[in-house]
Amino acid sequence: MYCVRKVVDDLYWVGGNDHRLALFENIHPIPRGVSYNSYLLLDEKTVLFDTVDWEICRQFIENIEHLLDGRDLDYLIINHMEPDHGASIEEILLRYPNVTIISTEKSFLLMRQFGFSIDGHIDEVKEGDTRTFGKHTITFVEAPMVHWPEAMVSFDVTNGVLFSADAFGSFGALDGKLFNDEVNFDRDWLDDARRYYTNIVGKYGPHVQALLKKAKTLDIKVICPLHGPLWRNDFAYLLNKYDQWSRYEPEEKGVMIAYASMYGNTESAAQVLAAKLVEKGVKNVVVHDVSNTHVSYLIADAFKYSHMVLASVTYNLGIYPIMHDFLMHMKALNLQKRTIGLIENGSWAPKSGALMKRFLDEEMKQMSVLNSEVAMVSTLNDNNKSEMDTFVDSILDSMDM
Ligand code: FEO
């Protein structure tokens, strides 16, 4: 059975939801599922914007067939060729052999790499090109590295609809609700939108900034991303989040404490620190055990908060492997401009503090590591008491509190 929704006159959402996929990109948990958004424009010509992951292709085809109601599909615009959107291109070619695909040069290269037979179907566009399909004229805007190099966004100059590809997307299945004003985004979606952005696109902040600059020149009425809710109002809220995330500016003044503990002693120090911070008025504190928190959640909070404390046991004379993995992810995603405090533990050769400091200083950008730190030997004891109090004070000082 088809399942479609009208977006604006002539335009319909023809995507679908996936609750069965456990890991997006086979890395990131998606307990709330994910949507793959695709859109069909019914003008003098019929135009499909992107396809969907193979997993929901059957639903997608039913949606398209219902709306076309016997008409042929004339055009397929591909804004992004990653397989969660491009996987069903070949099925579209088989069912609609007269279709012309409109996309970028790099996108066609990728289609060939993925084995699609696209000869005779190609209409290559670049920045500023337009195509008219009847009432609607679409202009194309290149968006390289948001999130792959071939990416572009498409803008309908007739009605102000922006097809934004991965930009402004989110994890989470739509489950009937299509627009931002049909959900409580700040309460129910923001955490997943942040986790999606920071883990998928986070590395490419300067490219997102370039796209935001271009977006400011467009009179946007509706934003249609490839995942998650569509936006038809409150653009400032969304654009402000994207601006902060892509400049690597924290959203909130607060402390994320991430600890790596083998037997509970480093965990205990993290809890003592959290209690002292809250007692001194820092209410915005979150505590994560890196061993049982998926790194995508750690990354999202690392982007969210202004301050971070990394508390790690020493393991085989190095940083605890899971904490090291978190550091590597932060580096890979280009996180910068954070204030960091360190807690070290080790029973026979404590080294994790010095090693984490070296990583932050040498491998990452603009990380400000506090001079004060807590160095434990096996467990937090009376000898650490004044050290912990000084550490707390230095965090407060750095927060201007
Ligand atoms: Fe949802 Fe970069 O693909």
Side-chain angles (χ1 to χ4, degrees):
M1 174 73 180
Y2 63 86
C3 180
V4 302
R5 282 204 56 188
K6 180 176 172 178
V7 178
V8 290
D9 285 349
D10 308 329
L11 185 70
Y12 297 84
W13 176 84
V14 291
N17 297 295
D18 188 349
H19 278 284
R20 290 192 291 170
L21 183 70
L23 296 174
F24 187 82
E25 292 185 345
N26 218 5
I27 302 179
H28 310 292
I30 42 170
R32 294 176 58 243
V34 68
S35 76
Y36 304 106
N37 299 340
S38 170
Y39 305 93
L40 183 62
L41 178 69
L42 300 176
D43 201 342
E44 287 170 28
K45 299 293 182 186
T46 57
V47 188
L48 184 64
F49 292 82
D50 292 290
T51 73
V52 296
D53 190 270
W54 184 249
E55 185 65 25
I56 61 154
C57 187
R58 184 173 170 204
Q59 176 72 66
F60 173 60
I61 295 295
E62 282 188 75
N63 294 346
I64 295 168
E65 284 185 349
H66 163 69
L67 287 170
L68 287 177
D69 195 22
R71 293 178 70 184
D72 201 2
L73 179 66
D74 300 308
Y75 292 95
L76 168 61
I77 294 174
I78 293 293
N79 289 302
H80 185 24
M81 242 316 284
E82 191 166 5
D84 55 331
H85 312 293
S88 302
I89 290 173
E90 195 148 50
E91 187 66 22
I92 292 293
L93 285 166
L94 288 170
R95 288 171 181 266
Y96 305 101
N98 301 316
V99 74
T100 296
I101 304 176
I102 301 175
S103 199
T104 61
E105 180 185 8
K106 283 195 177 112
S107 183
F108 287 122
L109 183 77
L110 287 169
M111 285 179 218
R112 289 202 165 91
Q113 278 180 204
F114 280 106
F116 301 159
S117 305
I118 55 173
D119 288 348
H121 296 276
I122 294 173
D123 179 7
E124 189 179 304
V125 289
K126 50 187 185 326
E127 178 88 10
D129 285 351
T130 60
R131 296 289 182 272
T132 298
F133 303 106
K135 278 188 293 180
H136 295 266
T137 296
I138 306 288
T139 187
F140 304 99
V141 179
E142 291 176 0
M145 302 318 299
V146 186
H147 124 246
W148 276 18
E150 89 301 351
M152 66 174 188
V153 301
S154 303
F155 182 65
D156 187 332
V157 297
T158 311
N159 60 8
V161 173
L162 176 70
F163 301 91
S164 64
D166 269 351
F168 311 119
S170 177
F171 293 142
L174 290 166
D175 298 343
K177 299 163 191 138
L178 190 63
F179 295 99
N180 66 302
D181 53 20
E182 295 173 335
V183 301
N184 186 331
F185 194 88
D186 202 64
R187 186 191 67 193
D188 298 333
W189 282 83
L190 179 59
D191 286 348
D192 260 340
R194 181 188 304 107
R195 194 163 62 87
Y196 169 84
Y197 172 83
T198 56
N199 286 280
I200 306 296
V201 196
K203 180 180 176 67
Y204 309 110
H207 299 86
V208 174
Q209 280 287 312
L211 180 59
L212 290 175
K213 216 168 166 183
K214 292 182 189 180
K216 277 192 188 137
T217 66
L218 305 173
D219 185 15
I220 298 170
K221 300 280 195 275
V222 184
I223 298 175
C224 295
L226 287 174
H227 302 286
L230 286 58
W231 289 76
R232 59 184 174 188
N233 50 41
D234 212 5
F235 297 138
Y237 170 91
L238 178 68
L239 293 170
N240 185 43
K241 294 291 181 199
Y242 259 70
D243 185 46
Q244 285 178 318
W245 295 335
S246 57
R247 285 188 293 111
Y248 304 98
E249 297 292 346
E251 277 169 85
E252 294 181 11
K253 189 187 272 196
V255 183
M256 170 198 182
I257 303 170
Y259 67 84
S261 185
M262 292 166 66
Y263 298 106
N265 293 294
T266 310
E267 176 181 19
S268 171
Q271 291 294 345
V272 168
L273 171 64
K276 284 180 181 289
L277 285 169
V278 175
E279 205 166 51
K280 293 218 169 185
V282 184
K283 301 277 186 334
N284 204 9
V285 174
V286 293
V287 178
H288 291 301
D289 179 348
V290 298
S291 296
N292 65 21
T293 308
H294 190 272
V295 69
S296 66
Y297 292 89
L298 300 175
I299 288 294
D301 271 354
F303 271 72
K304 179 177 177 182
Y305 294 105
S306 58
H307 288 62
M308 202 181 319
V309 172
L310 303 177
S312 180
V313 68
T314 305
Y315 195 85
N316 284 334
L317 304 179
I319 304 167
Y320 191 69
I322 303 172
M323 178 63 82
H324 189 248
D325 184 61
F326 175 38
L327 285 162
M328 295 292 283
H329 272 78
M330 283 196 281
K331 177 189 170 187
L333 292 166
N334 209 12
L335 182 67
Q336 47 193 279
K337 304 180 189 171
R338 293 298 181 274
T339 302
I340 314 269
L342 298 173
I343 297 178
E344 166 186 89
N345 195 3
S347 291
W348 44 273
K351 280 185 174 302
S352 58
L355 292 172
M356 287 192 291
K357 178 164 171 34
R358 192 199 298 168
F359 189 99
L360 292 161
D361 286 344
E362 295 179 6
E363 305 278 337
M364 297 183 70
K365 296 176 201 158
Q366 297 184 62
M367 291 302 209
S368 169
V369 182
L370 297 174
N371 286 328
S372 165
E373 66 171 60
V374 175
M376 306 158 59
V377 181
S378 297
T379 188
L380 201 64
N381 57 34
D382 284 347
N383 298 334
N384 297 118
K385 196 171 176 309
S386 66
E387 200 178 35
M388 179 62 91
D389 288 338
T390 305
F391 187 56
V392 169
D393 287 342
S394 78
I395 295 171
L396 289 166
D397 282 350
S398 73
M399 299 177 83
D400 295 324
M401 292 183 73

